[in-house]
Amino acid sequence: MCGLIGFFSRHAGAPSNVERALDRMYRRGPDAGHIWSALGVQLGHRRLAILDLDARAAQPMHSGCGRYVIIFNGEIYNFSVLREELQEQGLAFATTSDTEVILNLFALEGAAMLPKLRGMFALVIWDKVARRAFAARDPYGIKPLYVATTDNGVLLGSQVKALLATGLVAGDPDPLGHAGFWMLGSVPEPHTWFRAIRGLPAGHFLWVEQGR
């Protein structure tokens, strides 16, 4: 289990408080916590090291070409097969992690890579050149990914409480989320307890561009 947080701003210099979100997700990833920032974007990751324990596999992770940055929570079961296929195409790897496999695969195929991934995942990839973000969730929805649109931009995160910790998301209740909980015993997706926060449905992806 790891935790991720991403903020994509509509306005340069807008506050994000990503540090607070990372602190709120400490139990998801006590091994490391890192933030990468650029103009209009901040990516944060709390790491629970499993596959490649070396610091070289820490996130946010940059692609070899330098264009893409990824934050990822999950496990790709067929990553070794995908890695071999990429190596046959001439790609080199600096780690033994499944995260780097996803990153290289996305650099080659974009969103078309998703059907090749066998596993559980929530991921966010920032494209420095196109200046847009790609986010996706596994088909069974095992790994959570929540979205909040604020006055300043878009927040993506592994936990509702992490998004609330930024102080940028309104705490107004979602009546449908509350009704679903009391009637069904759980909040039905894509609703949450809060009107401003939605879950990315299982098996879906989205793009964020210009803070929208």
Side-chain angles (χ1 to χ4, degrees), residues 106-186:
F106 182 82
L108 286 178
E109 302 183 12
M113 73 165 180
L114 289 177
K116 294 184 177 181
L117 302 181
R118 300 288 182 265
M120 51 183 179
F121 58 85
L123 59 90
V124 179
I125 300 175
W126 174 250
D127 184 335
K128 300 178 186 177
V129 176
R131 294 197 54 77
R132 63 176 184 168
F134 173 79
R137 190 176 176 206
D138 67 79
Y140 293 99
I142 300 172
K143 293 299 181 181
L145 187 59
Y146 296 97
V147 185
T149 300
T150 75
D151 292 338
N152 292 328
V154 175
L155 281 161
L156 300 172
S158 294
Q159 290 183 276
V160 168
K161 65 182 182 181
L163 299 184
L164 292 173
T166 66
L168 302 177
V169 182
D172 300 333
D174 181 348
L176 293 178
H178 286 222
F181 177 81
W182 296 116
M183 293 175 63
L184 306 173
S186 63

Side-chain angles (χ1 to χ4, degrees), residues 1-178:
M1 182 168 62
C2 296
L4 60 84
I5 181 77
F7 177 67
F8 308 95
S9 174
R10 293 181 188 150
H11 316 290
S16 67
N17 298 326
V18 164
E19 297 87 352
R20 294 183 192 172
L22 275 193
D23 290 343
R24 200 70 175 88
M25 293 189 293
Y26 176 81
R27 292 184 179 179
R28 296 187 68 92
D31 293 329
H34 298 289
I35 295 173
W36 174 81
S37 301
L39 182 63
V41 58
Q42 280 192 295
L43 301 178
H45 187 265
R46 291 236 58 114
R47 185 186 186 198
L48 179 65
I50 296 177
L51 287 178
D52 187 334
L53 305 183
D54 195 278
R56 65 188 178 185
Q59 300 178 45
M61 180 183 288
H62 297 252
S63 63
C65 65
R67 176 171 177 172
Y68 304 100
V69 189
I70 187 173
I71 46 178
F72 163 65
N73 170 34
E75 185 175 354
I76 305 304
Y77 306 133
N78 64 330
F79 84 96
S80 58
V81 174
L82 296 173
R83 178 190 173 101
E84 290 177 1
E85 293 175 355
L86 291 169
Q87 286 176 322
E88 290 174 358
Q89 297 180 54
L91 274 74
F93 287 82
T95 75
T96 58
S97 69
D98 51 358
T99 307
E100 190 178 14
V101 171
I102 298 171
L103 195 52
N104 281 328
L105 196 58
F106 182 82
L108 286 178
E109 302 183 12
M113 73 165 180
L114 289 177
K116 294 184 177 181
L117 302 181
R118 300 288 182 265
M120 51 183 179
F121 58 85
L123 59 90
V124 179
I125 300 175
W126 174 250
D127 184 335
K128 300 178 186 177
V129 176
R131 294 197 54 77
R132 63 176 184 168
F134 173 79
R137 190 176 176 206
D138 67 79
Y140 293 99
I142 300 172
K143 293 299 181 181
L145 187 59
Y146 296 97
V147 185
T149 300
T150 75
D151 292 338
N152 292 328
V154 175
L155 281 161
L156 300 172
S158 294
Q159 290 183 276
V160 168
K161 65 182 182 181
L163 299 184
L164 292 173
T166 66
L168 302 177
V169 182
D172 300 333
D174 181 348
L176 293 178
H178 286 222

